[in-house]
C-alpha cells in the first residue's frame, strides 16, 4: 500500500531531495512551496508529486492547503516540516520583524501544520519529522534568531513526542552544513573553508538529509520517538 506524505518547502534544496526520495519509494507525495513556481512544476513533472503554493507563516494558507491535501489524500502517514529561510545577522542587527519572521517560518509554520494534520496522522499511526539544524543544537554566532527558532523546533518535537504518543511519532533531523542555495551568500572558497570544520571533510548533500528523514518516517524507526538525528558529518557531536 503506498503511503501518503506531505513535505513543506519542497521546491528546492533539501525539500526537493525529500520529495524525490519519498516519491521514488512509491509514496503518494504532496509538497508546499512559496515562490519557486517553475521549480515546483518541474518537480511535479519529474516525480508526480503534487505541489501546493502555501506560505508556512500564514494560518489561513496553511489551513487551506492542509484541507486541500486531505480532501485529495483522505489520509496522511508522514509529515516532514522543512520550509525555512536563514538569517545571518548579529542579535543587535536583527530587527523585530526579522526576528519574528524567523520564528514564524520555522516554528509557527511547524505548529500550524502539525495542528491541522495531527488528527489524520493519529488515524494512520503516522510519523512527523521536523528539519531543525546543528545551530538549534549548538547555537550559531550571528544566527541567534535562526538558532532560537531551530532550538524551538526541537522543544516542540519533544513535547509532541509525549503528547501524541502512542499514536504518532515525532523526531527531528538536525543537518549540519548542507550544500544548497541557502549557502549562496558564501563564496566557493568560503565553502571549502567550511568543509574543513567537518570531520568527514565535506559539506552535506540534500540527499544525506533526505535519507535520515526517510528512515525516521519508516517502520524501521517504529520504536524511535522524541529524538534528534544529527546529519552533520561530525561537526557537532
Ligand atoms: P533552500 O533555501 O534551498 O530551500 C528552502 C525551501 O523552503 C524552498 O523550497 C522554499 O520555497 C521553502 N520556503 C521558504 N520559505 C517558505 C515559506 N514561508 N513557506 C513555504 N515554503 C517556504 O533551503 P535548504 O534546502 O537549505 O533548507 C531547507 C531546510 O533545512 C530549512 O528549514 C533550513 O533551515 C534547514 N537547514 C538547512 C541547512 C543548510 O545548510 N542548507 C542546515 C540545517 C538546516 P520557495 O523556493 O518556493 O520559496
Amino acid at each position: 500500500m503506498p503511503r501518503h506524505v506531505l513535505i513543506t518547502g519542497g521546491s528546492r534544496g533539501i525539500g526537493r531531495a525529500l520529495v524525490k526520495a519519498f516519491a521514488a519509494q512509491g509514496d503518494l507525495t504532496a509538497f508546499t512551496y512559496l515562490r519557486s513556481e517553475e521549480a515546483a512544476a518541474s518537480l511535479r513533472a519529474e516525480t508526480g508529486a503534487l505541489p501546493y503554493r502555501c506560505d508556512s507563516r500564514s494560518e489561513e494558507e496553511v489551513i487551506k492547503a492542509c484541507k486541500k491535501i486531505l480532501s485529495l489524500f483522505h489520509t496522511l502517514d508522514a509529515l516532514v516540516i522543512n520550509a525555512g529561510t536563514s538569517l545571518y545577522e548579529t542579535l543587535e542587527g536583527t530587527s523585530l520583524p526579522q526576528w519574528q519572521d524567523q520564528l514564524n517560518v520555522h516554528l509557527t509554520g511547524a505548529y500550524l501544520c502539525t495542528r491541522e494534520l495531527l488528527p489524520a496522522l493519529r488515524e494512520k499511526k503516522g510519523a512527523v519529522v521536523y528539519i531543525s539544524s546543528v545551530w538549534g543544537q549548538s547555537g550559531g554566532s550571528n544566527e541567534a534568531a535562526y538558532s532560537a527558532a531551530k532550538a524551538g523546533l526541537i522543544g516542540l518535537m519533544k513535547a509532541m513526542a509525549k503528547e501524541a504518543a502512542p499514536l504518532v511519532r515525532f523526531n527531528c533531523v538536525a543537518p549540519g552544513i548542507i550544500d544548497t542555495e541557502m549557502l549562496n551568500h558564501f563564496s566557493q572558497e568560503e565553502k571549502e573553508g567550511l568543509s574543513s570544520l567537518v570531520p568527514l571533510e565535506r559539506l552535506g548533500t540534500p540527499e544525506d538529509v533526505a535519507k535520515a528523514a526517510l528512515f525516521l518516517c519508516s517502520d524501521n524507526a517504529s520504536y524511535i520517538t522524541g529524538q534528534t538525528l544529527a546529519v552533520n558529518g561530525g561537526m557537532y557531536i
Side-chain angles (χ1 to χ4, degrees):
M1 270 271 281
R3 297 181 320 155
H4 296 79
V5 180
L6 171 64
I7 291 143
T8 70
S11 48
R12 294 184 295 110
I14 292 169
R16 195 174 181 91
L18 283 162
V19 171
K20 286 185 188 177
F22 279 98
Q25 67 177 17
D27 292 335
L28 295 171
T29 308
F31 67 95
T32 66
Y33 69 98
L34 184 58
R35 296 182 193 88
S36 301
E37 189 96 46
E38 273 183 34
S42 75
L43 187 58
R44 177 183 198 159
E46 194 181 332
T47 63
L50 301 172
Y52 291 87
R53 211 208 71 87
C54 167
D55 187 337
S56 290
R57 299 165 295 188
S58 157
E59 182 176 34
E60 195 188 333
E61 289 188 24
V62 171
I63 291 174
K64 211 167 131 191
C66 290
K67 277 203 175 123
K68 262 193 192 166
I69 290 160
L70 284 180
S71 72
L72 197 76
F73 281 178
H74 304 293
T75 174
L76 196 69
D77 298 272
L79 167 67
V80 183
I81 299 289
N82 162 81
T85 56
S86 62
L87 176 69
Y88 193 75
E89 186 53 85
T90 62
L91 182 81
E92 290 150 296
T94 302
S95 66
L96 184 58
Q98 285 176 314
W99 170 265
Q100 285 168 334
D101 190 62
Q102 280 296 296
L103 294 187
N104 284 341
V105 70
H106 296 287
L107 200 47
T108 307
Y111 149 71
L112 289 171
C113 231
T114 305
R115 190 190 73 187
E116 292 308 301
L117 296 171
L118 200 51
L121 287 159
R122 274 202 196 97
E123 274 179 30
K124 288 306 293 283
K125 296 192 174 168
V128 178
V129 169
Y130 295 154
I131 306 297
S132 176
S133 163
V134 64
W135 303 134
Q137 297 179 296
S138 68
S141 177
N142 297 317
E143 298 198 65
Y146 181 82
S147 301
K150 290 302 202 183
L153 269 182
I154 295 174
L156 176 63
M157 173 279 289
K158 287 184 178 180
M160 291 311 301
K162 293 177 182 174
E163 190 172 315
L167 294 178
V168 185
R169 295 184 299 105
F170 278 77
N171 291 287
C172 278
V173 173
I177 308 169
I178 310 298
D179 199 0
T180 69
E181 287 171 31
M182 197 169 262
L183 301 195
N184 274 356
H185 57 288
F186 293 115
S187 66
Q188 194 50 39
E189 210 179 3
E190 285 170 328
K191 280 191 192 175
E192 279 159 25
L194 289 173
S195 306
S196 70
L197 304 173
V198 181
L200 293 186
E201 294 182 348
R202 67 169 176 87
L203 300 186
T205 65
E207 291 73 27
D208 290 325
V209 181
K211 283 178 205 161
L214 218 58
F215 163 68
L216 288 170
C217 290
S218 75
D219 285 345
N220 291 330
S222 62
Y223 200 53
I224 302 177
T225 196
Q227 304 304 310
T228 298
L229 178 53
V231 180
N232 65 22
M235 73 177 280
Y236 176 74
I237 294 175

